[in-house]
Amino acid sequence: MAVYFKEYGDRSAPLMLFLHGGGVSGWMWEQQIQHFAPHYHCVVPDLPGHGKNYKDPYFSIENTAEKMIQLIEKVAEERKIIVIGFSLGAQILVQLLSMRPKLVDYAVINSALVRPMSLMKKWIGPTVKLTSPLIAIRAFSKIQAKTLYIPAEKFNQYYEESCQMRQHTLTRVLEENLSFAIPENFKHVETPMLVIVGEKEKSMMKKSVMDLLNSNSNCVGMLVADIGHGLALASPAFFNETIDNWLQDSSS
């Protein structure tokens, strides 16, 4: 199934690909698009099983990384390539980089879990079956939205997409998320990588940053004070400025 994506900005400028987190879709990057589109060709896909691609029957991090490689090759046309991934999208980015170590020029890896949590994996199926009816309850979804820093004006879209996500898709996404480990080939990635995590995120997320830094010397780590899981939504101006400054420093 073809990946649904939107394009913004100058198609002759460097390519900037945005990979969203699990349970949301490309709309999470709205503030980034407004900021970067005047200077970049911004490409924003909905990942398989999410948003406009919710009917895609199968999700895996490796398969999605392959689809993102195909998308890049389709639209890049020998230009600089920057990829920004959050959470599930960040895991896909790590996989993508490992599969094609020389494809991407700059990468921003925000909140990527790379420590497998195998003990939790066996509980995902039963838990999803028990809790999936809660997703349709708006009050429950509002609590979830708050933890993800989803703006009030985006809640209805978040709620609608949460309700349309298929149960088997959610199970697959969670299984893939909790099983992901740094691929062996990641050590060969030549791309400058900015690895970001929030100070208020779970310890496993912060340990994952250290694992990435220790796996490849091209990684630079950044801990953001007073932020949990969702920097781009919680503090978009800071997130955008951070990327601008890092890209400028990395290219000089």
Side-chain angles (χ1 to χ4, degrees):
M1 182 178 288
V3 172
Y4 170 88
F5 64 95
K6 287 186 175 181
E7 298 177 86
Y8 308 85
D10 182 355
R11 296 194 180 193
S12 65
L15 174 66
M16 187 173 277
L17 176 69
F18 294 88
L19 305 178
H20 65 77
V24 292
S25 62
W27 58 258
M28 75 158 281
W29 300 112
E30 188 174 273
Q31 295 295 317
Q32 282 67 51
I33 301 309
Q34 290 179 15
H35 179 82
F36 290 108
H39 307 290
Y40 295 91
H41 175 202
C42 298
V43 176
V44 188
D46 285 353
L47 300 178
H50 296 73
K52 298 290 187 182
N53 284 329
Y54 80 96
K55 291 183 179 179
D56 200 327
Y58 178 77
F59 177 86
S60 80
I61 287 175
E62 185 172 353
N63 180 260
T64 303
E66 182 59 48
K67 288 185 176 183
M68 294 305 107
I69 289 170
Q70 292 169 5
L71 177 58
I72 290 170
E73 292 177 335
K74 177 181 177 180
V75 301
E77 299 175 347
E78 304 299 321
R79 289 173 289 148
K80 291 285 185 183
I81 299 165
I82 301 134
V83 185
I84 300 169
F86 165 65
S87 194
L88 182 67
Q91 293 175 313
I92 292 165
L93 175 51
V94 171
Q95 180 68 44
L96 183 161
L97 292 166
S98 303
M99 291 164 72
R100 294 289 296 276
K102 298 181 181 180
L103 177 65
V104 176
D105 294 286
Y106 302 97
V108 179
I109 302 168
N110 182 200
S111 300
L113 177 65
V114 297
R115 288 196 168 196
M117 303 174 70
S118 54
L119 291 178
M120 292 181 63
K121 185 178 175 182
K122 67 179 181 179
W123 298 105
I124 291 172
T127 301
V128 169
K129 284 184 179 180
L130 285 171
T131 59
S132 57
L134 294 174
I135 294 171
I137 301 173
R138 289 180 70 88
F140 176 81
S141 285
K142 283 188 176 181
I143 294 170
Q144 295 294 101
K146 187 175 181 180
T147 64
L148 295 171
Y149 301 104
I150 290 170
E153 66 271 18
K154 288 294 181 183
F155 172 74
N156 285 338
Q157 186 167 2
Y158 166 73
Y159 175 70
E160 289 169 8
E161 290 183 356
S162 295
C163 290
Q164 78 180 8
M165 180 177 278
R166 298 173 178 185
Q167 186 173 301
H168 68 83
T169 301
L170 178 57
T171 300
R172 280 290 305 169
V173 166
L174 292 172
E175 287 176 345
E176 286 284 289
N177 172 254
L178 294 177
S179 302
F180 186 70
I182 298 173
E184 175 66 23
N185 214 37
F186 184 74
K187 63 187 177 185
H188 299 303
V189 176
E190 299 179 6
T191 305
M193 294 170 279
L194 176 62
V195 186
I196 307 174
V197 70
E199 180 188 29
K200 292 184 177 180
E201 295 203 56
K202 293 177 180 177
S203 62
M204 196 66 75
M205 301 299 294
K206 288 179 271 192
K207 290 175 182 177
S208 290
V209 170
M210 297 309 302
D211 290 345
L212 288 164
L213 296 180
N214 291 331
S215 297
N216 190 304
S217 61
N218 293 312
C219 289
V220 175
M222 181 176 183
L223 179 69
V224 182
D226 298 320
I227 288 291
H229 195 67
L231 175 61
L233 287 167
S235 188
F238 175 80
F239 184 80
N240 298 342
E241 182 182 2
T242 296
I243 292 173
D244 272 334
N245 292 339
W246 178 71
L247 288 173
Q248 185 175 347
D249 291 344
S250 298
S251 61
S252 59

